[in-house]
Amino acid sequence: MTDTFFNQVYQVVAQIPFGRVTTYGAIAEYLGSKGASRMVGWALNSSKNFPEALPAHRVVNRNGLLTGKRHFGGTQVMADLLQSEGIEIVEDRIINFKEKMWFPETKY
DNA sequence: AACTTGACGGTCA
DNA sequence: ATGACCGCCAAGT
């Protein structure tokens, strides 16, 4: 059942620790399909059907840019959430992104 | 049932 | 350095 790609993405994202972020590519790569980075976003889009709190706001593109902020029902919602976690956001971009970068495989 | 789009990323030209 | 195309899987139309 949870053998679907979007479902695996859902589980990985749910494991993202507080104050940490990851990228679509990292998740896709972890799942074995580096090119499926777009599917990660699709999975998150479907995740709205899940009652679980999915910290999708911690998932950004490889530029550390809040590309998905537009799907958060607002414009600053995503940035505000990340800032609340101690992540600095300027112009929808994460400051010290590489330091906040979190890999599902290393979980570090 | 078929085609197009989609929170991306990497490589090629 | 910039621009364009391909790849990946699933869902929407």
Side-chain angles (χ1 to χ4, degrees), chain A residues 6-66:
Chain A
F6 82 89
N7 234 308
Q8 294 177 69
V9 172
Y10 157 67
Q11 291 177 64
V12 172
V13 175
Q15 291 168 60
I16 302 175
F18 185 90
R20 205 59 75 89
V21 287
T22 191
T23 70
Y24 303 98
I27 297 170
E29 186 179 341
Y30 172 67
L31 298 180
S33 300
K34 98 178 165 70
S37 45
R38 342 155 45 103
M39 281 41 285
V40 178
W42 248 116
L44 297 178
N45 190 14
S46 299
S47 74
K48 65 185 184 323
N49 295 308
F50 293 83
E52 314 297 323
L54 192 65
H57 58 271
R58 294 180 186 153
V59 185
V60 295
N61 69 346
R62 85 104 189 153
N63 300 300
L65 192 67
L66 283 56

Side-chain angles (χ1 to χ4, degrees), chain A residues 66-78:
Chain A
L66 283 56
T67 49
K69 67 175 176 119
R70 48 189 182 182
H71 290 284
F72 275 79
T75 322
Q76 300 223 151
V77 180
M78 189 172 187

